[in-house]
Amino acid sequence: MNRAAIAEVVTNTDSTQNEDNVECATSTVQDYELTYDEQRERERLERLVERAFYQAGLALKELRDRRLYRNTHTSFDEYCKDRFAYHRSRYYQLINAATIVDNLQSCLQFVDILPTAEGQVRPLVPLNPDEQRLAWTQAVKATDGKVPSARVVKDIVDKIRERTKLPNPYRVGEVCLILPKDNPDLRGKSGCWCIVTHVGDFSCTIDTWDNEYTVKIEHLKSLEYTDSECEFMGELLKRLRRLHQLPNHDSSIDWQLAGLGKRYEAWLTNVQEEVLHTFEKAYGLIET
């Protein structure tokens, strides 16, 4: 074959390959494009992903408020552990988040973005509803209209708290979880519940089953109990304190009391009530 013939074959081959490549590229672009219905479906599914934590919080709140767990579990805490592997801190995070997202709905007239993850909402919990909306709006604007990270939200919240000097959020009779952090007086009290007995400007006096403490508000976390649940826990604390203060009582009592002092569900199980009742009868605190 002469050089001219070879050149013609090569030219034809390159032309064919170029046409194939163009056709392939066009086909690929067409495959990547979405129809109008597909785009709408994508947006719908993305919204479901973004609001999954919100829907979970709403569902948990309804399950709790209507006590729809009562046929299988004595407490909401036990139900969540068994059914969802959620501990108290987690399901309250989701419930609080759903409540706050509902509050932020009115922000849509200023910023067209709502939280897409529970962590973005968590820093807003200490604020009142008006401050929550203000903080979220400022956080979205600080990120040029994008979804702000939890860190951005927290920074905005810290500035608002410094400026407004938020009052003590706790009230007398409220049931709280103790957070020892760097307080040596609270060593060994991690995970214990307490009752607030006095509220100061920046601290609270609290009672536990074995002692009384004055702590800063950052060493407490509300367990978000209802009024009836707080009343029950207040009466329970009195029962535990009476047993603990008995002179020369059996050491096994303190072991039981320490366990109940860390079990911060709002109700006792039947077995726990029976054990506590037995101790009270044995020491004459109640009539036999």
Side-chain angles (χ1 to χ4, degrees), residues 211-224:
N211 214 332
E212 178 184 271
Y213 303 90
T214 297
V215 300
K216 296 179 180 179
I217 58 177
E218 56 261 35
H219 292 292
L220 298 176
K221 179 181 179 181
S222 175
L223 290 175
E224 306 289 346

Side-chain angles (χ1 to χ4, degrees), residues 72-88:
T72 56
H73 293 77
T74 57
S75 74
F76 186 61
D77 193 78
E78 291 177 347
Y79 164 70
C80 285
K81 286 180 183 177
D82 290 345
R83 181 63 181 83
F84 307 111
Y86 284 167
H87 290 281
R88 173 178 290 273

